[in-house]
Amino acid sequence: MCMGIPMQILEINGFGARCEAKGVEREVSLLMLDPEELAVGDFVVIHLGHAIEKISAERAADAWSVYDEMLAAEASAAGAEQR
């Protein structure tokens, strides 16, 4: 399964940007979006190194809430298998 990861734009350099999520920073391509419509502080969905959609801060937080639940469930299942 492939999932996009919400990240916040920290810096824009032409058709590239430095983005952050959960303390992890990545250089991403903005070629699939109009860089004129993006600004530092905006949230975007990143897939395979490309920003594919601009989203609201609320939608980014909702997505991370779901991802955190999935990671917690996976960690719990892994812990149960080791017992």
Side-chain angles (χ1 to χ4, degrees), residues 28-72:
V28 302
S29 169
L30 301 177
L31 287 173
M32 298 179 79
L33 298 177
D34 182 358
E36 299 293 321
E37 296 182 10
L38 299 173
V40 170
D42 285 346
F43 288 85
V44 288
V45 175
I46 307 300
H47 181 67
L48 299 173
H50 296 272
I52 60 171
E53 180 182 8
K54 180 179 172 181
I55 60 173
S56 67
E58 294 80 18
R59 188 166 163 212
D62 289 345
W64 272 110
S65 178
V66 170
Y67 295 157
D68 288 340
E69 288 178 28
M70 291 168 45
L71 292 170

